[in-house]
């Protein structure tokens, strides 16, 4: 009741501050949505229509209006902030694993801090700090990794002892703790009031806000938004933003062109208590106890405590009939494990009187990251939803990035981990979402060690060889819904042991992957890489070549049969995609891209290729099984299976030829392995896949052939200093910054996207450089391993983060790849990074707070490799794309 009163009070204040709202409300006589009149009619048109008046919708409206867009209409089917936002626990926490989420939360915190002063609406902002508890050493390591990231971003943070926890929060039972992480600048807010404050500022900037207005569907013509249909008439618009929270999925599917927004709601429980005899101080730190699966915050002298149970209850929201989310039914039996964890953590609460158990819906996504960005199928249709119970932490930052995306065409940070286009249609199955969110919600608290995998929604997209490889001991991971092999467990190994061993230290698969790498270097291995995205682009005349020459940075006008490594760049010269393109004929090209590029790359090309009947693009990912034949004996195996000569003289590096293998015709063979090792990629029509695999394995027996997986591939490509898109390369990384000038046709006088930005970098220098680090004083058996995201220090100063790492079985050291920047020591200004700057520094890599010395290189350690090969056998410029 008190919470409702506060919400209504701020509602009244907000409307009182806005004359438009006074005029609208004076004629209201009933609170029922059916009886309420709408004195202010909807505009006939607007530039932007935003659906949803919670924290996300109001944040987008606020930031768009700040950036100068005024012709904006925000529609809310009930009342502002009356959905999930109203029930949000109000904890603003920056302790996040993913860098972009950390940045969003930090921005949100800073925004909310000054919002009350800017708008006059009380937001309830209190800087309390937060304490994340660790009951195990592994949990403490996880917190230390987060702390390293927070500290280098300038967010105060420290790892503290259990005794220090007790000093900061005297009611906490510390007997089972091994340590904790304290973030003093984390805060509490009233989330509904923050939303109303954002709406107030947006309204003053010209945004029109209409409550009690439902969007039934979005109007689309020629693949672009043209307007919205509401229960009060049509509004013509250029942009539509779906911020409908748990109803975003249904709204996406209600339009003329469906937009897939994979999220699903679950019930989320927390309890409210009456004040303690000695009411808790308002600035008492928030407690997060992930091992106990709970969080605890001060609430009006009492506490608010909720959590993420192991057996969540999914909700169905079809029909979108609840205008405002009513409090769902209490379920004390379901909440009991969380209540027990709360009483263990705060035993003095036994006698405390509980006011209410709140049950509200919260939306979760298939990978625990929020959904943001433009639809790949409908231009002008933007989405911001699926906050996984962190809506108030992300609200400010997410609204800012989406507004930048709409106004500028791109956000100011790399938001690929959150981009709607990371999902395909396969993740939008209702059954898949229901099962996946039942796994995701408990994972909010589970310890996420490196290389963990989801268990639900598996075996969805598989290679024709799946059963054969599985029977031979394959252990699987999933990428974009596609099953891919990590490694093969040899006969006699304890499989259960291997699957359950999860650690930040040396993993149990270390020796298995080592033997696969050894086989790749000394004999021959087969890796199934069917998950790669594969497009065919062709035309009746020269249209395909002319358009691709403009959209790609390398010269594609090569003789038929040649393969070109190239970037697909944006206007700033950054990598939207990194791919290999084979010229099959004068007018036909075969493009191979990373697995998770299937939706993004298709949308990017579709939006930029002319709508010309003489030019066709086809997604042939499903048509071909891809086998990577790696190793010095790959040539021997393939020679015995085909009549075509494949010696280096007849089949040079980066060459493509269609040939027969065994009985099968039409196999596209490329002299490329994406690892720097000699070998071939075989693109096999799927009906021949099993035959060709069997032939290769049978013929390869005398050459020591074996199966291998992606972990071996990763080790090989990292020790050869090969970058891959999505981790090392992104839309903010240019070829000049990662030593790929030779893949750009700057000297050929041809225009291409990103050319101006690259010419400027060539003239003025770059502000970051892709660098390889070899750990010097690191004990592989005893020390924590680097995985990715570790801070890099040069002469004791922070200069960047690692983007990927692996153990090199050749160098017998860990290799990390990452970008080095150069900041002025006094002003913090970015300076040009020169080769001398890289070579003259002393480097350290910070792994969970412990620093290890590292040697920096701008070129691979080719001289240290034990197996020297003739130049013509080594692929000179292959780049791995996982």
């Amino acid at each position: 009741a008190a919470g409702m009163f506060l919400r209504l009070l701020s509602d009244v204040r907000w409307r009182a501050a806005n004359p438009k709202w006074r005029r609208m409300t004076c004629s209201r006589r009933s609170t029922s949505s059916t009886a309420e009149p709408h004195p202010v009619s909807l505009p006939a048109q607007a530039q932007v229509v935003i659906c949803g008046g919670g924290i996300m919708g109001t944040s987008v409206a606020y930031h768009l209006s700040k950036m100068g867009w005024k012709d904006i209409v925000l529609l809310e089917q009930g009342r502002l902030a009356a959905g999930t936002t109203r029930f949000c626990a109000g904890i603003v926490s920056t302790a996040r694993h993913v860098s972009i989420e950390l940045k969003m939360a930090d921005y949100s915190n800073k925004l909310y801090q000054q919002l009350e002063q800017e708008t006059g609406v009380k937001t309830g902002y209190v800087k309390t700090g937060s304490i994340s508890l660790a009951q195990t050493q592994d949990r403490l390591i996880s917190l230390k990794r987060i702390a390293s990231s927070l500290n280098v971003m300038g967010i105060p943070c420290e790892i503290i002892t259990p005794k220090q926890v007790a000093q900061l929060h005297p009611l906490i039972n510390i007997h089972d703790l091994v340590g904790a992480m304290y973030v003093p600048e984390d805060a509490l807010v009233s989330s509904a009031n923050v939303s109303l404050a954002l709406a107030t500022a947006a309204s003053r900037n010209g945004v029109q806000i209409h409550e009690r207005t439902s969007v039934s569907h979005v109007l689309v013509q020629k693949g672009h938004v043209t307007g919205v249909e509401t229960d009060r008439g049509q509004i013509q618009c250029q942009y539509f933003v779906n911020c409908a929270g748990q109803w975003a999925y249904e709204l996406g599917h209600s339009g003329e062109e469906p937009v897939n927004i994979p999220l699903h709601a679950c019930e989320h429980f927390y309890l409210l208590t009456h004040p303690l005899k000695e009411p808790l101080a308002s600035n008492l730190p928030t407690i997060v106890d992930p091992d106990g699966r709970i969080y605890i915050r001060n609430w009006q002298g009492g506490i608010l405590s909720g959590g993420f149970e192991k057996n969540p209850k999914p909700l169905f929201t079809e029909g979108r009939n609840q205008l405002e989310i009513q409090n769902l039914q209490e379920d004390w039996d379901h909440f009991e494990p969380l209540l027990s964890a709360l009483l263990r953590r705060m035993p003095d609460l036994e006698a405390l009187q509980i006011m209410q158990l709140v049950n509200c819906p919260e939306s979760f996504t298939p990978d625990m990251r929020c959904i943001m960005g433009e639809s790949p199928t409908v231009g002008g249709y933007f989405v911001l939803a699926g906050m996984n119970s962190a809506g108030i932490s992300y609200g400010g930052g997410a609204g800012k990035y989406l507004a930048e995306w709409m106004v500028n065409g791109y956000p100011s940070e790399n938001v690929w981990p959150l981009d709607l286009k990371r999902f395909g249609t396969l993740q939008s199955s209702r059954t898949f979402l229901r099962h996946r969110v039942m796994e995701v919600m408990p994972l909010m608290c589970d310890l996420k060690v490196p290389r963990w995998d989801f268990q639900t929604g598996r075996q969805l997209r598989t290679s024709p060889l799946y059963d054969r490889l599985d029977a031979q001991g394959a252990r699987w991971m999933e990428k974009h819904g596609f099953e891919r092999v990590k490694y093969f467990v040899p006969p006699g190994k304890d499989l259960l042991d291997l699957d359950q061993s999860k650690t930040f230290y040396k993993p149990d698969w270390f020796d298995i992957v080592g033997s696969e790498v050894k086989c790749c270097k000394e004999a021959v291995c087969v890796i199934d890489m069917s998950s790669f995205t594969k497009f065919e682009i062709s035309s009746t005349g020269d249209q395909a070549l002319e358009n691709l020459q403009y959209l790609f940075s390398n010269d594609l006008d090569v003789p038929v049969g040649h393969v070109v490594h190239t970037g697909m760049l944006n206007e700033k010269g950054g990598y939207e995609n990194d791919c290999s393109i084979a010229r099959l004929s004068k007018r036909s090209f075969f493009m191979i891209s990373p697995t998770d590029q299937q939706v993004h790359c298709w949308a990017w090309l579709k939006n930029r290729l002319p709508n010309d009947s003489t030019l066709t693009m086809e997604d042939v990912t499903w048509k071909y099984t891809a086998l990577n034949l790696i190793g010095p004996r790959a040539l021997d195996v393939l020679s015995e299976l085909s009549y075509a000569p494949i010696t280096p003289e007849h089949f040079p590096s980066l060459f493509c030829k269609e040939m027969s293998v065994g009985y099968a015709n039409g196999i596209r063979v490329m002299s490329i392995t994406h690892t720097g090792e000699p070998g071939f990629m075989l693109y096999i029509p799927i009906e021949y896949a099993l035959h060709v695999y069997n032939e290769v394995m049978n013929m390869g027996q005398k050459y020591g052939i074996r199966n291998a997986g992606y972990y071996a591939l990763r080790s090989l490509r990292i020790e050869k200093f090969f970058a891959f898109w999505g981790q090392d390369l992104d839309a903010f990384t240019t070829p000049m910054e990662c030593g790929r000038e030779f893949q750009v046709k700057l000297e050929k006088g041809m225009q291409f996207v990103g050319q101006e930005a690259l010419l400027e970098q060539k003239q003025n220098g770059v502000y970051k450089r892709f660098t390889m680090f070899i750990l010097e004083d690191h004990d592989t058996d005893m020390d924590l391993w680097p995985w990715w995201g570790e801070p890099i220090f040069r002469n004791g100063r922070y200069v960047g983060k690692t983007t990927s790492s692996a153990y090199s079985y050749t160098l017998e050291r860990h290799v990390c790849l990452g970008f080095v920047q150069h900041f002025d020591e006094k002003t913090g200004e970015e300076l040009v990074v020169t080769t001398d700057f890289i070579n003259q520094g002393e480097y350290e890599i910070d792994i969970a707070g412990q620093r290890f010395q590292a040697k920096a290189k701008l070129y691979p350690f080719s001289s240290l490799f034990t197996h020297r090969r003739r130049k013509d056998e080594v692929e000179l410029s292959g780049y791995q794309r996982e």
Side-chain angles (χ1 to χ4, degrees):
M4 182 64 76
F5 172 73
L6 278 175
R7 201 207 154 282
L8 290 172
L9 182 65
S10 55
D11 222 353
V12 170
R13 282 181 188 148
W14 178 62
R15 285 167 174 73
N18 291 270
K20 280 189 278 185
W21 287 90
R22 284 209 297 276
R23 289 197 298 274
M24 281 176 64
T25 50
C26 65
S27 59
R28 294 184 180 181
R29 293 178 184 171
S30 164
T31 55
S32 125
S33 60
T34 51
E36 184 156 358
H38 295 281
V40 177
S41 59
L42 294 180
Q45 61 184 56
Q47 184 181 10
V48 182
V49 172
I50 300 168
C51 175
I55 185 70
M56 294 302 148
T58 53
S59 178
V60 173
Y62 170 86
H63 286 95
L64 281 174
S65 65
K66 283 270 187 182
M67 294 181 75
W69 283 21
K70 307 295 184 187
D71 188 11
I72 299 167
V73 176
L74 188 150
L75 305 177
E76 163 55 48
Q77 63 175 345
R79 292 176 307 151
L80 284 176
T84 299
T85 299
R86 170 178 148 211
F87 289 102
C88 179
I91 299 167
V92 184
S93 168
T94 51
R96 307 286 164 186
H97 287 277
V98 181
S99 174
I100 186 64
E101 293 178 342
L102 194 160
K103 289 174 182 175
M104 287 197 305
D106 185 41
Y107 173 84
S108 297
N109 195 348
K110 292 180 169 76
L111 173 68
Y112 303 157
Q113 199 169 349
Q114 54 85 39
L115 203 53
E116 189 172 320
Q117 186 181 352
E118 180 186 342
T119 63
V121 177
K122 289 194 178 299
T123 58
Y125 183 92
V126 183
K127 191 174 285 186
T128 60
S130 73
I131 304 172
S132 299
L133 309 179
Q135 295 181 29
T136 65
Q137 286 298 332
D138 270 352
R139 177 69 69 183
L140 190 59
I141 291 166
S142 178
L143 294 177
K144 285 177 176 177
R145 288 179 65 87
I146 294 172
S148 291
S149 292
L150 289 172
N151 282 322
V152 297
M153 294 230 354
I155 300 169
C157 172
E158 59 180 312
I159 298 297
I160 59 175
T161 63
K163 280 186 180 177
Q164 289 171 297
V165 173
Q167 288 164 4
L168 289 164
H169 201 307
L171 294 177
I172 293 297
N173 171 15
I174 62 168
H175 79 278
D176 59 347
L177 301 182
V178 296
M181 177 177 72
Y182 177 45
V183 186
E185 294 194 354
D186 279 356
L188 295 178
V189 293
S190 162
S191 47
N193 292 6
V194 166
S195 192
L196 293 170
L198 291 167
T200 299
S203 183
R204 287 175 187 163
N205 279 334
V207 175
Q208 296 183 55
I209 299 175
H210 295 266
E211 295 180 305
R212 312 277 184 203
T213 307
S214 294
V215 175
S216 57
H217 64 273
V218 179
L219 306 171
V220 178
Q221 278 183 14
K222 295 181 179 176
H224 202 282
V225 168
T226 58
V228 295
E229 186 75 57
T230 79
D231 57 354
R232 295 172 55 200
Q234 273 190 22
I235 307 176
Q236 302 301 312
C237 63
Q238 297 166 255
Y239 298 93
F240 176 74
V241 189
N242 183 339
C243 296
Q246 65 162 331
W247 294 294
Y249 177 96
E250 279 78 19
L251 181 57
H253 279 261
S254 68
E256 297 167 5
E257 286 266 352
V259 173
N260 292 309
I261 304 165
L263 54 78
H264 199 300
C266 284
E267 295 182 24
H268 179 56
F269 296 87
Y270 61 80
L271 62 78
L272 301 170
T273 75
H274 288 285
L276 278 71
K277 283 181 183 173
E278 285 186 35
L280 292 178
S282 62
N283 62 349
L284 203 63
T286 297
I287 298 295
V288 181
D289 183 2
D291 297 309
R293 317 191 75 79
I294 56 169
Y295 55 83
I296 309 163
R297 57 154 285 193
N298 163 65
W299 187 75
Q300 298 180 4
I303 67 158
L304 180 160
S305 178
F308 300 95
E309 63 274 23
K310 287 185 176 179
N311 56 332
K313 297 167 70 175
L315 275 171
F316 281 111
T317 57
E318 278 91 339
R320 300 188 294 120
N321 49 0
Q322 275 188 300
L323 292 188
E324 292 159 25
I325 298 167
Q326 304 304 317
N327 196 3
L328 301 166
Q329 286 191 330
E330 291 186 349
D331 188 339
W332 283 103
D333 289 339
H334 192 78
F335 190 71
E336 194 277 330
L338 300 180
L339 181 59
S340 298
L342 170 63
L343 294 176
R344 278 195 304 273
R345 190 55 58 213
M346 294 179 76
D348 294 353
L349 297 184
E350 291 267 7
L352 197 61
Q353 192 178 354
I354 291 170
M355 181 188 292
Q356 185 184 7
L357 179 64
V358 178
N359 176 4
C360 61
E362 182 63 65
S363 298
F364 294 88
T365 63
D367 60 0
M368 293 189 293
R369 299 197 298 266
C370 74
I371 296 172
M372 167 192 298
E374 189 173 13
S375 159
T377 53
V378 180
Y381 191 122
F382 285 81
V383 178
L384 187 55
M387 292 295 137
N388 301 285
S389 204
I392 196 66
S393 291
Y394 298 155
K400 170 178 178 273
Y401 290 139
L402 194 78
E404 290 173 345
W405 203 329
M406 294 173 70
V407 174
N408 302 327
Y410 49 85
S412 57
E413 295 281 350
N414 173 36
V415 296
W416 170 249
L418 315 176
D419 194 326
L420 171 63
K421 292 185 282 295
R422 72 188 187 271
F423 295 119
T425 51
L426 57 98
Q427 283 99 349
S428 284
S429 146
R430 259 299 185 197
T431 308
F432 166 81
L433 287 170
R434 184 177 173 82
H435 290 169
R436 175 56 68 86
V437 297
M438 289 173 73
E439 179 184 11
V440 158
M441 194 169 163
L443 276 169
M444 302 298 292
C445 288
D446 287 353
L447 185 67
K448 287 175 275 295
V449 298
R451 313 266 170 94
W452 59 275
D453 301 295
F454 289 108
Q455 301 304 307
T456 52
R458 298 294 298 271
Q459 298 180 32
L460 198 55
R461 299 174 73 198
T462 60
S463 154
L465 305 177
Y466 180 87
D467 288 341
R468 280 298 309 273
L469 301 178
D470 197 55
Q472 294 176 77
R475 284 294 165 266
W476 301 92
M477 60 182 177
E478 169 253 332
K479 182 85 168 235
H480 204 63
F482 214 115
E483 296 293 330
R484 314 195 309 176
V485 182
K486 297 190 276 194
Y487 49 79
F488 286 82
V489 179
K493 264 276 186 186
D494 188 340
L495 307 190
L496 193 65
D497 238 21
L498 205 56
D499 281 349
Q500 291 180 348
S501 67
K502 295 177 177 178
T503 178
F504 290 99
Y505 290 89
K506 179 181 175 180
D508 280 2
W509 44 256
F510 179 81
D511 291 329
I512 292 173
V513 173
S515 61
E516 290 179 8
V517 167
K518 187 170 188 284
C519 188
C520 286
K521 288 180 169 294
E522 296 177 1
V524 58
C525 278
V526 177
I527 303 179
D528 184 343
M529 296 175 71
S530 303
S531 66
F532 271 1
T533 297
K534 300 174 274 287
F535 295 164
E536 280 180 9
I537 302 159
S538 56
S539 60
T540 54
D542 293 333
Q543 302 94 323
L545 177 63
E546 288 167 4
N547 282 285
L548 295 182
Q549 284 286 57
Y550 179 66
L551 292 174
F552 291 88
S553 58
N554 208 346
D555 187 4
L556 298 177
D557 193 5
V558 292
V560 171
H562 282 250
V563 182
V564 177
H565 287 294
T566 180
M568 184 174 82
L569 309 182
N570 53 38
E571 284 72 13
K572 297 190 300 178
Y575 280 97
E576 291 295 332
N577 185 12
D578 173 43
C579 55
S580 305
I581 297 181
R583 190 168 194 181
L584 301 179
S585 71
K586 285 275 187 192
R587 296 165 182 174
S588 175
F589 297 85
F590 185 50
M591 175 180 171
I592 302 117
S593 305
T595 303
D596 51 5
Q597 274 279 1
Q598 191 165 14
V599 177
H600 173 70
C601 180
W602 181 267
W604 180 270
L605 289 173
K606 269 290 180 193
N607 288 337
R608 286 158 181 79
L609 288 171
N611 193 4
D612 183 348
S613 59
T614 62
L615 182 68
T616 60
M617 179 169 73
E618 184 186 1
D619 185 345
V620 295
T621 300
W622 62 275
K623 284 188 176 181
Y624 292 95
T625 297
L627 292 183
N628 195 349
L629 207 57
I630 304 180
R633 307 312 297 267
L635 190 146
D636 299 312
V637 175
L638 206 54
S639 293
E640 295 207 35
L641 287 171
S642 180
Y643 286 102
I646 56 168
T647 55
E649 297 78 49
H650 297 95
F651 210 123
S653 180
L654 297 178
F655 197 68
C656 173
K657 189 182 289 185
E658 201 163 282
M659 52 202 279
S660 302
V661 176
Y663 296 151
N665 288 321
I667 314 297
R668 290 176 184 169
V669 179
M670 299 186 193
S671 47
I672 172 179
T673 64
H674 308 291
T675 61
E677 301 298 325
F680 303 91
M681 284 292 302
L682 278 59
Y683 289 92
I684 309 157
I686 55 168
E687 63 267 35
Y688 300 143
L690 204 54
H691 169 75
V692 172
Y693 173 77
N694 290 337
E695 289 290 298
V696 166
M697 293 306 284
N698 291 336
M699 189 58 70
Q701 291 301 318
K702 58 185 175 186
Y703 299 109
I705 199 167
R706 66 178 287 171
N707 291 299
Y710 270 81
Y711 284 10
L713 200 77
R714 180 181 280 140
S715 174
L716 290 167
R717 72 97 182 165
I718 286 178
E719 72 179 19
K720 288 291 179 69
F721 199 15
F722 287 0
F724 73 81
W725 190 91
Q727 195 156 338
D728 304 309
L729 308 177
D730 58 43
F732 289 80
T733 309
T734 74
M736 300 300 183
E737 293 163 349
C738 55
R740 293 189 175 187
E741 296 91 328
F742 64 93
Q743 285 189 11
V744 180
K745 53 193 174 201
L746 281 178
E747 310 300 330
K748 297 204 174 182
M750 284 180 270
Q751 273 202 318
F752 61 91
V753 179
Q755 184 177 23
E756 287 181 20
L758 298 189
L759 286 169
E760 189 179 321
Q761 282 193 333
K762 187 174 184 183
Q763 188 173 341
N764 301 333
V766 295
Y767 291 96
K768 62 180 180 183
R769 283 290 289 271
F770 193 50
T771 311
M772 179 182 191
F773 297 94
I774 314 293
L775 293 193
E776 296 277 274
D777 56 347
H778 184 269
D779 186 323
T780 305
D781 294 319
M782 303 302 294
D783 289 326
L784 286 169
W785 274 32
W787 295 97
W788 59 273
E790 291 84 14
I792 303 164
F793 291 86
R794 178 187 181 276
N795 299 345
R797 291 177 60 82
Y798 171 70
V799 290
K801 280 188 175 183
T802 64
T803 50
S804 56
S805 62
Y807 182 80
S808 165
Y809 294 89
T810 312
L811 300 175
E812 297 182 347
R813 305 266 180 86
H814 257 99
V815 178
C816 301
L817 308 182
F819 285 91
V820 170
Q821 294 169 279
H822 184 187
F823 301 103
D824 186 280
E825 293 192 21
K826 291 176 183 171
T827 64
E829 181 192 354
E830 273 193 313
L831 302 174
V832 169
V833 178
T834 62
T835 305
D836 284 347
F837 179 80
I838 300 286
N839 292 336
Q840 290 168 11
E842 295 286 327
Y843 291 90
E844 293 170 305
I845 307 290
D846 178 322
I847 306 175
Q850 186 178 354
R851 294 189 190 181
F852 295 91
Q853 289 180 358
K855 189 183 287 288
K857 284 282 180 182
L858 287 169
Y859 304 97
F861 278 63
S862 54
S863 58
L864 294 181
F865 283 84
T866 50
H867 302 283
R868 307 300 295 271
R869 300 180 186 83
R870 296 198 319 274
K871 276 189 179 179
D872 57 5
E873 284 185 356
V874 179
E875 175 193 331
L876 295 175
S877 56
Y879 287 87
Q880 163 60 9
R881 293 169 304 282
E882 296 198 357

